[in-house]
Amino acid sequence: MTIPAIGWPAGWTRQRRSQATIVTASLGLVLALWVAASLIAVAPAPIGPNAKFFAEGMVVTLELTIVSGVIGVVLGLLAALGKTSRILPVRWVCSFYIWVIRGTPLLVQIFFVYFALPEIAKSFGSEWLSDAARMTEFTAAVLALSLNVGAYNAEAFRAGLLSVPKGQFEAARSLGLSKWHTLRDITFPQAFKVALPPLVNNVVALLKDSSLAYSIGVVELTNVGARVQSSTFQPVPILITTAILYLVMTTLLTQITNGIEHRFDIEGRQP
């Protein structure tokens, strides 16, 4: 998804322009949530009378995106390290996780986490395990979304790790650096730059994918639109409003991710 970058004075440094973009877009996102109810309220019925519900749905959508996105980045990094590990069982487990998640629909994964996990836990006969598997709708959605985006992030991280020349590992070994220091100081910074564009793209896609949480009753933006539509029987204005609100959020989120990419100068072309 390509969004025009915010224009800043040509005399500003790359770091200053990127920081200004991130701050401005972040403040814009917060402001959009803060004034959403007031702005939507001026719209004619059936949108205006339900402005509060649309605003609350936007907040839940962003909460799903942020929480799942952070967990997904951590899962993706761990899975990528596991898939490139020399320990065969670890490599198999991580490869299996990535294969299953990338090969099945997200909707099925959400249903599995919410409906199937409690039944599987109950079959083990452990009351504690059964109680732990009974999650709220929001928690189940976060878990499923995190597992899903984590698998895609893993491939992005793995591509970054494999892009680091082997000669740098040999140089680090000759300097007496441990594997941890080599990963932290040499491998990861370079791999992160390569992995960053697909990572931020996955986060933006995650915001739209969070609409599938509606299927298990999470009251996010799509669910709000469906509820208002079922009570008013006016699908056109409601669907248009829902789409516009998603577009506003994805546009501001994309500006933030553009600023992050610009900050790290992924292609090495920015002045």
Side-chain angles (χ1 to χ4, degrees), residues 16-207:
R16 189 176 182 183
R17 292 198 302 270
S18 61
Q19 289 170 359
T21 300
I22 295 171
V23 171
T24 302
S26 299
L27 291 176
L29 191 56
V30 173
L31 182 63
L33 294 177
W34 187 32
V35 303
S38 300
L39 292 177
I40 301 172
V42 302
I47 306 303
N50 296 285
K52 178 182 177 181
F53 302 114
F54 280 105
E56 291 174 351
M58 291 176 65
V59 173
V60 175
T61 294
L62 280 176
E63 287 176 348
L64 282 172
T65 303
I66 294 172
V67 176
S68 303
V70 172
I71 298 174
V73 168
V74 176
L75 284 176
L77 178 59
L78 294 176
L81 292 173
K83 192 171 182 179
T84 56
S85 172
R86 293 183 179 181
I87 304 175
L88 191 59
V90 174
R91 192 163 68 245
W92 281 352
V93 169
C94 293
S95 298
F96 179 78
Y97 156 66
I98 295 171
W99 170 63
V100 169
I101 296 298
R102 285 167 58 91
T104 55
L106 174 57
L107 184 60
V108 174
Q109 295 164 19
I110 293 175
F111 284 153
F112 183 87
V113 170
Y114 187 65
F115 294 111
L117 278 187
E119 294 299 321
I120 294 174
K122 187 187 298 184
S123 66
F124 285 98
S126 172
E127 184 177 348
W128 175 86
L129 187 61
S130 178
D131 291 338
R134 293 194 189 97
M135 295 172 281
T136 64
E137 292 85 355
F138 184 87
T139 303
V142 166
L143 179 57
L145 291 169
S146 301
L147 290 171
N148 183 271
V149 75
Y152 289 92
N153 288 344
E155 289 299 280
F157 276 121
R158 187 173 70 90
L161 292 171
L162 295 178
S163 70
V164 180
K166 291 184 178 180
Q168 299 198 21
F169 295 97
E170 297 172 356
R173 191 181 303 114
S174 66
L175 292 173
L177 294 178
S178 64
K179 291 183 178 180
W180 163 247
H181 284 92
T182 301
L183 174 64
R184 186 190 66 182
D185 299 328
I186 297 176
T187 307
F188 182 74
Q190 298 179 73
F192 181 71
K193 281 192 172 186
V194 175
L196 186 56
L199 286 177
V200 297
N201 183 69
N202 289 344
V203 172
V204 175
L206 179 63
L207 188 146

